[in-house]
Amino acid sequence: MYGETAHAGHGLDANPRGRRRGSSTVCRTRLRAWQCVVAGAPSCAGWCAGWTGAGHTGVFTGGSVGGGAVADGRDFFISYAGPDGAWARWVAWHLEQAGYTVELAEWDWAVGQNFVEKMGEALRRATRVVALFSPAYFEPGRFTRDEWTSVRAVRDRGKDRLLPFRIEKFPHDLVPDDLRSLLYRDLFDLPEDQAREALLDAVAGPRRPNGAPIFPGHGRAAAAPGTAPALPSTAPAPADPPPAGVPANGVDAHARSRAGTERARDLAEIEVLVGRAERHAQQERFRSAAMLWEEVAADRTRVLGPDHPDTLASRYWHARCLGMAGEAAEAVELSAGVAADRARILGPDHPDTLNSRHNHAWALGVAGEVAEAVGLSAGVAADRARILGPDHPDTLNSRHNHAWGLGVAGDFAEAARLMAGVAADRARVLGADHVDTLASRDNHAWVLGEAGDFAEAARLMAGVAADHARVLGPDHPDTLASRASHAWVLGEAGDFAEAARLMAGVAADRARVLGADHPDTLHSRRVHAENSKRAAEGG
């Protein structure tokens, strides 16, 4: 069920938007959606900053929502009629307890705010909208009609964003024609635990079972009236039945059925845990995600066995989230164990084995074992090139990470040489405007600056900042980070006045976009003050 095969354009590898390692003069911060950012852990900050992920789908793919969604996205907005407020609160509470983010007007909108504006923002911000169908929901003149019509007009990757639930029984003809074809779930007339299960099962979406469904009957089913007779069997006649009380084949059929039912129930419960772990990781709640993945791994070991691919995947993500949470030593130990077990079970050249080795190298870097991490990442890059091909996105990711690790280790000249090659190959394979290409160009400029080639670094960084603005938009955090880096390298080159002028603009824009108290904003202000002071002093 749960693998980590890389796909270009998805998952960790596809989102190399991160902060770069800070120099001794100016520590530039750029946060990746997936990276480990730990206060007081400079080795982690330096290592994680330019490291591209292992190339997996699944856990860390959240954060972007379709349909014109805005920043600070939520998983769900609850659309309901005023008389149904108790149902709305119940649904919102259980969704949040399951790890989702929810916007509910009663909880999140303050007195005096513009209701129409808040509703429009909420509908844009939400990935999906839970609609609580009732007679009141469809009464003429309610804002609920504006909500569901707006949601249905803007679809997310071709999928409907509206999730309808009936909270009471009513005639079908009350439902507007546009909504009658939608599948829905009923939450009423159920015990609370069953209603909660129905809610969470619906929002999780359809999924196939992990194992064979339970056999629905015993013995040969009777032929339905009017059906053709079965093809006569050529098998030998069955033996006489065993004596009463002795199970056939030594195994009680009812016991087998009970065991299968219990296993299916265990797997279903594990899938709920998996969903929670994924959501916590998407929300960057890495410590709680690690605890959930540890529980998933233990349960899968019990139900599926220690060598099952899903068990190994759970252990992988447990180690990954521990590293993200700053538990570097434990992440190193666990990731090394997963890599060894995958090599033993799947083979050394299996993509999941390579992913685990990649993650082991990353964890070593987080723990400050940079030299060993660089050596491992070089080996992964070579093996991926041999197995996947030199132009495979995962190969390019490993080459990027090897180059970055050399920069973290202080070998800036070699890092710059290798990163230039990665940037050129990514432009050729992925395109000049791909975020991975921009990341390699960005990091190439940075290591050139650290190597002392400030003029070339400034020229490259100015180009990266302009391209980030064109591709991602002027207010994107990566655009702001590239502008900050451009200002930094100018300051390193001694052009303090221009560095101060550019950083003043970055500080103002970060305050507007991120907030006045955001760490990046505060940092930009400090750097601006430093360069302004040095410019006034004449260097």
Side-chain angles (χ1 to χ4, degrees):
M1 189 285 300
Y2 200 83
E4 301 133 22
T5 303
H7 296 275
H10 297 80
L12 288 173
D13 270 342
N15 189 25
R17 305 186 302 272
R19 67 179 185 180
R20 287 153 299 180
R21 174 177 178 270
S23 73
S24 58
T25 305
V26 179
C27 176
R28 301 170 305 287
T29 58
R30 177 183 297 180
L31 303 182
R32 299 179 187 231
W34 51 265
Q35 77 179 38
C36 173
V37 182
V38 183
S43 63
C44 174
W47 183 256
C48 292
W51 186 269
T52 312
H56 312 307
T57 59
V59 170
F60 302 113
T61 60
S64 63
V65 290
V70 297
D72 187 28
R74 305 290 178 89
D75 293 320
F76 296 105
F77 172 67
I78 311 298
S79 173
Y80 67 100
D84 301 324
W87 270 108
R89 291 188 292 273
W90 184 87
V91 167
W93 172 264
H94 285 290
L95 288 176
E96 288 198 337
Q97 290 300 301
Y100 295 101
T101 54
V102 178
E103 183 156 0
L104 182 67
E106 180 179 325
W107 292 350
D108 297 308
W109 301 353
V111 173
Q113 291 182 313
N114 186 305
F115 173 82
V116 176
E117 289 182 359
K118 295 297 293 181
M119 180 179 68
E121 291 173 1
L123 293 173
R124 289 192 298 273
R125 183 160 43 231
T127 304
R128 291 181 290 175
V129 174
V130 169
L132 302 182
F133 285 3
S134 69
Y137 191 87
F138 299 114
E139 288 176 353
R142 287 197 180 275
F143 280 103
T144 49
R145 181 175 182 84
D146 297 325
E147 292 172 355
W148 68 257
T149 53
S150 298
V151 172
R152 298 216 70 204
V154 182
R155 296 163 70 84
D156 182 2
R157 299 175 180 87
K159 297 180 181 179
D160 206 310
R161 298 166 59 215
L162 196 71
L163 291 177
F165 294 87
R166 290 201 314 169
I167 55 175
E168 62 179 285
K169 191 172 183 178
F170 55 86
H172 190 61
D173 58 11
L174 284 183
V175 180
D177 291 341
D178 289 348
L179 299 179
R180 288 185 184 179
S181 63
L182 297 183
L183 299 174
Y184 59 84
R185 282 289 184 92
D186 286 342
L187 300 180
F188 63 94
D189 288 345
L190 295 172
E192 183 173 7
D193 59 340
Q194 293 183 24
R196 177 182 177 276
E197 183 178 354
L199 170 69
L200 298 180
D201 182 63
V203 300
R207 59 179 68 191
R208 295 185 180 277
N210 283 289
I214 303 303
F215 179 57
H218 304 289
R220 181 178 297 174
T227 59
L231 182 70
S233 173
T234 59
D240 292 336
V246 178
N249 299 323
V251 179
D252 186 349
H254 290 287
R256 291 198 304 271
S257 178
R258 285 195 301 272
T261 300
E262 291 172 359
R263 185 176 189 273
R265 186 182 301 114
D266 285 341
L267 291 173
E269 292 174 353
I270 290 171
E271 288 304 300
V272 173
L273 277 179
V274 169
R276 290 180 61 196
E278 290 176 343
R279 289 190 294 275
H280 281 229
Q282 289 168 356
Q283 296 160 10
E284 300 183 38
R285 298 159 62 185
F286 296 120
R287 197 170 300 279
S288 60
M291 295 173 63
L292 288 168
W293 278 120
E294 183 179 21
E295 187 175 352
V296 170
D299 287 346
R300 281 179 165 167
T301 299
R302 172 177 55 83
V303 176
L304 301 174
D307 291 346
H308 192 281
D310 287 1
T311 303
L312 296 173
S314 306
R315 291 170 54 200
Y316 172 94
W317 288 116
H318 177 212
R320 183 81 185 181
C321 289
L322 279 173
M324 296 289 188
E327 301 292 341
E330 190 173 359
V332 168
E333 180 180 358
L334 292 178
S335 59
V338 175
D341 286 344
R342 278 180 159 168
R344 172 177 57 84
I345 297 163
L346 304 175
D349 291 347
H350 191 282
D352 285 358
T353 303
L354 296 175
N355 290 341
S356 294
R357 290 172 54 199
H358 179 110
N359 190 51
H360 182 210
W362 169 79
L364 282 166
V366 172
E369 302 291 339
V370 175
E372 187 175 357
V374 169
L376 285 179
S377 63
V380 174
D383 287 342
R384 279 179 162 171
R386 173 176 56 84
I387 297 162
L388 304 175
D391 289 345
H392 192 282
D394 283 3
T395 304
L396 297 173
N397 286 335
S398 293
R399 290 173 53 199
H400 173 106
N401 293 339
H402 177 220
W404 177 256
L406 287 169
V408 174
D411 191 350
F412 300 118
E414 181 64 5
R417 185 185 71 81
L418 294 179
M419 195 67 80
V422 176
D425 287 344
R426 277 180 160 171
R428 174 177 54 82
V429 174
L430 305 175
D433 290 344
H434 194 281
V435 290
D436 287 10
T437 305
L438 294 175
S440 293
R441 289 173 53 200
D442 183 293
N443 289 338
H444 176 220
W446 176 76
V447 290
L448 277 175
E450 292 284 23
D453 192 349
F454 299 121
E456 181 65 4
R459 184 186 70 82
L460 293 178
M461 195 61 75
V464 173
D467 287 343
H468 268 141
R470 176 176 54 81
V471 174
L472 302 176
D475 290 344
H476 192 280
D478 286 4
T479 303
L480 297 174
S482 295
R483 289 170 53 197
S485 295
H486 182 212
W488 164 78
V489 77
L490 287 172
E492 293 288 284
D495 192 350
F496 303 119
E498 181 65 4
R501 185 186 71 82
L502 292 179
M503 194 62 82
V506 174
D509 288 341
R510 277 178 161 167
R512 175 176 55 83
V513 175
L514 304 175
D517 295 331
H518 191 280
D520 288 2
T521 304
L522 298 175
H523 175 74
S524 298
R525 288 174 174 167
R526 288 194 298 270
V527 174
H528 169 246
E530 178 183 331
N531 280 294
S532 296
K533 178 181 178 181
R534 297 176 72 178
E537 294 172 348

